[in-house]
């Protein structure tokens, strides 16, 4: 069993660290929020006094932070890479921009450290139940070391390729999700106007060429899929502000690489309107209300 530094014990990182403890690892936890550190300590972690202290003597360091600037702050400015022993493996799980992820890989390599970028899908429920999916970018040896650690926090650990490719997979996947959700919402609203029942459209399209995850598993109207957030007044689930964050990362990457993604751009604009209208903490499927005009 390994000694694992864990930095960023928020909604995702807190339960992920607890699952590492349950798997028998020793965890040295740090977060700027004292109550999050106290919660991890109550679950059996050692409370580290700083981010750098969490990395000292660790075999593996996991980071789960809000955005690229926080990751750079912690790894570079707060001296976490510097504090780690040679050969330490970094598993960077935050959802961040591909460019910063690749920059962090280069900084780790320069310090004789190993790194994978390993963003996740599955949300807070998946973090609590250890059923996250990890999309991993990095070298083959780094992936081989990261896989069993990630497996203690998730149900699937997939090697997406070299440095930054985990982040690339995450934003491409979520761009598909944002676009398909809006398409499904528009079709359901059109069905309403045409006098076609939600359930009938669901029964037909979920078995036809309109079939997709946004319809079959996460249907944005109450009824057809009883577990979808639509049946719970659109409580997340996956908050619209998180969807907007991921769509903006996809647009940033598309611009940087000169890729044209007009449907991704349209989805970003629509989720921007929804979030700016005060719906940031509504589930992302709740955008059907805006499309319907209520
Ligand atoms: P969160 O805000 O709950 O947690 C982030 C934690 O990082 C906070 O506790 C904060 O205090 C801490 N932090 C910030 N700056 C720090 C610093 N300099 N040093 C130490 N700690 C610092 O966010 P979250 O929901 O846990 O999300 C974390 C990451 O996971 C994000 O990148 C998010 O996009 C991604 N993600 C979230 C979900 C979800 O459903 N919540 C799903 C998939 C991916």
């Amino acid at each position: 069993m390994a000694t694992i530094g864990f930095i960023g014990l928020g909604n995702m990182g807190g339960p992920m660290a607890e699952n590492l403890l349950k798997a028998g690892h020793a965890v040295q936890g740090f977060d700027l929020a004292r109550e999050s550190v106290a919660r991890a300590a109550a679950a059996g972690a050692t409370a580290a006094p700083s981010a750098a202290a969490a990395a000292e003597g660790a075999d593996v360091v996991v980071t789960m932070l809000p955005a690229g600037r926080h990751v750079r702050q912690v790894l570079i400015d707060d001296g976490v890479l510097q504090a780690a022993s040679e050969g330490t493996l970094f598993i960077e799980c935050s959802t961040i921009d591909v460019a910063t992820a690749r920059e962090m890989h280069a900084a780790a390599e320069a310090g004789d450290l190993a790194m994978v970028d390993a963003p996740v899908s599955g949300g807070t429920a998946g973090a609590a139940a250890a059923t996250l999916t990890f999309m991993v970018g990095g070298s083959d040896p780094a992936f081989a070391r990261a896989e069993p650690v990630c497996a203690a926090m998730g149900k699937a650990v997939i090697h997406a390729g070299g440095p930054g490719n985990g982040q690339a997979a995450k934003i491409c996947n979520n761009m598909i999700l944002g676009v398909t959700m809006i398409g499904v919402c528009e079709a359901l609203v059109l069905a309403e106007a045409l006098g076609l029942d939600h359930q009938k459209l669901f029964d037909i399209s979920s078995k036809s060429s309109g079939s997709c995850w946004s319809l079959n598993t996460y249907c944005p109207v109450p009824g057809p899929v009883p577990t979808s957030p639509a049946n719970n007044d659109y409580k997340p689930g996956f908050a619209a502000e998180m969807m907007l964050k991921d769509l903006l990362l996809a647009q940033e990457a598309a611009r940087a690489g000169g890729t044209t993604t007009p449907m991704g751009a349209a989805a970003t604009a629509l989720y921007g309107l929804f979030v700016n209208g005060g719906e940031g903490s509504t589930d992302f499927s709740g955008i059907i209300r805006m499309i319907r005009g209520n």
Side-chain angles (χ1 to χ4, degrees):
M1 288 296 126
T3 297
I4 301 180
F6 204 116
I7 304 167
L9 298 162
N11 292 326
M12 295 293 288
M16 287 165 70
E18 285 192 31
N19 285 324
L20 291 174
L21 288 163
K22 281 184 202 152
H25 297 295
V27 173
Q28 308 177 157
F30 178 73
D31 193 292
L32 290 179
R34 285 179 177 206
E35 58 277 15
S36 300
V37 180
R39 227 180 353 259
T46 306
S50 66
E56 278 166 21
D59 307 301
V60 175
V61 177
V62 181
T63 42
M64 193 47 161
L65 298 159
R69 66 179 189 282
H70 307 94
V71 173
R72 185 184 286 104
Q73 167 77 41
V74 164
L75 295 184
I76 311 281
D77 303 345
D78 295 346
V80 167
L81 292 183
Q82 199 111 43
S85 317
E86 193 180 320
T88 300
L89 171 67
F90 280 77
I91 304 180
E92 210 300 281
C93 294
S94 329
T95 301
I96 67 170
D97 58 288
V98 176
T100 301
R102 291 186 173 150
E103 201 187 307
M104 295 302 107
H105 273 271
E109 200 180 321
D112 289 323
L113 305 164
M115 180 175 280
V116 292
D117 51 294
V120 302
S121 83
T124 50
T131 56
L132 294 171
T133 294
F134 287 81
M135 306 161 218
V136 185
S139 68
D140 288 342
F143 175 74
R145 287 176 66 193
E147 191 176 22
V149 180
C150 295
M153 301 180 280
K155 65 169 171 22
V157 188
I158 299 159
H159 194 185
N165 278 21
Q167 299 294 350
K170 169 87 183 174
I171 59 172
C172 289
N173 180 73
N174 281 15
M175 189 171 78
I176 296 173
L177 180 60
V179 168
T180 58
M181 178 53 79
I182 288 167
V184 167
C185 290
E186 289 184 0
L188 284 159
V189 170
L190 178 60
E192 290 166 11
L194 296 173
L196 172 63
D197 277 355
H198 291 154
Q199 187 66 50
K200 290 289 176 204
L201 179 62
F202 177 85
D203 291 345
I204 293 162
S205 288
S206 63
K207 291 178 190 63
S208 305
S209 45
S211 166
C212 63
W213 190 89
S214 293
L215 177 69
N216 301 10
T217 308
Y218 215 82
C219 188
V221 291
V225 178
T227 51
S228 78
N231 299 279
N232 191 23
D233 200 25
Y234 298 100
K235 291 198 178 62
F238 184 46
E241 64 195 354
M242 293 277 186
M243 172 51 82
L244 178 60
K245 174 192 167 181
D246 294 355
L247 287 169
L248 285 165
L249 287 173
Q251 286 304 292
E252 208 178 299
R255 252 194 311 276
T259 310
T260 310
T261 53
M263 299 297 285
T268 309
L270 285 164
Y271 274 104
L273 284 172
F274 189 53
V275 169
N276 289 342
E279 300 283 359
S281 50
T282 301
D283 186 77
F284 82 111
S285 62
I287 200 164
I288 193 167
R289 291 175 175 162
M290 188 179 88
I291 290 167
R292 192 189 280 125
N294 64 7

